[in-house]
């Protein structure tokens, strides 16, 4: 439940003074300008959960699925962006029932990702994870993936990392982050 505490802390610090809240793993390379560009057409006063959508159905308990149906959570560790309006609802209405309520999924080790920001958020607010009209993240599953990205940047973008179309890359080792910018 570390993300629940993180969300409470972020909201108590910034409240409604910011439009977007980002939650990302510590091994995620983030380009904030591209994130803001990707969501510029969205109203932060509406409920938006932005990330890499994944079906929660395989992890949902049968009872919860029967009662609430299918849902999408933001997966992969590459970051979740919550609008100002959604963050207010999560902290004021969602966290307590999610923390005290019954298990909605079978994945205790992914509680934050699938249970809280997936099934529970969907159950209480009917919000699913979506992309902002284009993919904003890339998953780096191996050194070979990173090499492919580096080759692409060298070949297609003339070595200019700032032209890379993704706002987040995950997972990235600390030494590689320094090379990214």
């Amino acid at each position: 439940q570390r993300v629940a505490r993180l969300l409470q802390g972020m909201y108590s610090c910034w409240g409604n003074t910011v439009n977007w809240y980002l939650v990302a793993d510590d091994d995620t390379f983030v380009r904030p300008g591209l994130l803001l560009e990707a969501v510029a057409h969205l109203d932060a006063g509406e409920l938006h959960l932005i990330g890499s959508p994944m079906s929660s159905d395989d992890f949902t308990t049968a009872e919860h699925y029967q009662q609430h149906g299918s849902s999408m959570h933001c997966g992969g560790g590459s970051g979740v962006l919550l609008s100002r309006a959604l963050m207010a609802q999560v902290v004021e209405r969602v966290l307590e029932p999610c923390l005290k309520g019954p298990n909605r999924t079978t994945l205790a080790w992914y509680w934050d990702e699938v249970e809280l920001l997936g099934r529970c958020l969907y159950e209480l607010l009917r919000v699913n994870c979506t992309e902002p009209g284009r993919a904003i993240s890339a998953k780096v599953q191996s050194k070979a993936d990173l090499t492919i990205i580096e080759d692409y940047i060298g070949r297609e973008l003339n070595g200019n990392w700032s032209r890379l179309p993704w706002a987040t890359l995950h997972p990235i080792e600390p030494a590689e982050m320094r090379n990214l910018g």
Side-chain angles (χ1 to χ4, degrees), residues 101-120:
N103 288 337
R104 293 158 180 87
T105 68
T106 58
L107 294 177
W109 59 92
Y110 286 126
W111 188 91
D112 296 316
E113 184 177 301
V114 182
E115 179 86 19
L116 174 61
L117 294 177
R119 292 304 296 184
C120 194

Side-chain angles (χ1 to χ4, degrees), residues 138-160:
K139 186 148 181 82
V140 181
Q141 297 180 343
S142 67
K143 282 277 196 197
D145 287 349
L146 188 59
T147 300
I148 290 168
I149 292 170
E150 289 170 342
D151 290 348
Y152 168 78
I153 291 167
R155 187 178 58 255
E156 302 295 326
L157 305 179
N158 296 320
N160 187 349

Side-chain angles (χ1 to χ4, degrees), residues 39-104:
V39 298
H41 67 285
L42 299 174
D43 181 355
E46 297 174 355
L47 304 180
H48 293 288
L49 180 67
I50 307 295
S52 298
M54 297 178 70
S55 174
S56 302
D57 297 350
D58 289 344
F59 316 118
T60 304
T61 63
E63 306 83 53
H64 201 263
Y65 185 85
Q66 285 177 330
Q67 190 174 9
H68 300 285
S70 186
S71 71
M72 302 290 282
H73 68 276
C74 296
S78 55
V80 178
L81 206 55
L82 293 88
S83 65
R84 176 185 67 247
L86 180 59
M87 182 65 123
Q89 290 294 308
V90 166
V91 171
E92 294 167 6
R93 290 186 46 210
V94 172
L95 288 181
E96 188 173 335
C98 289
L99 290 167
K100 293 181 179 175
N103 288 337
R104 293 158 180 87

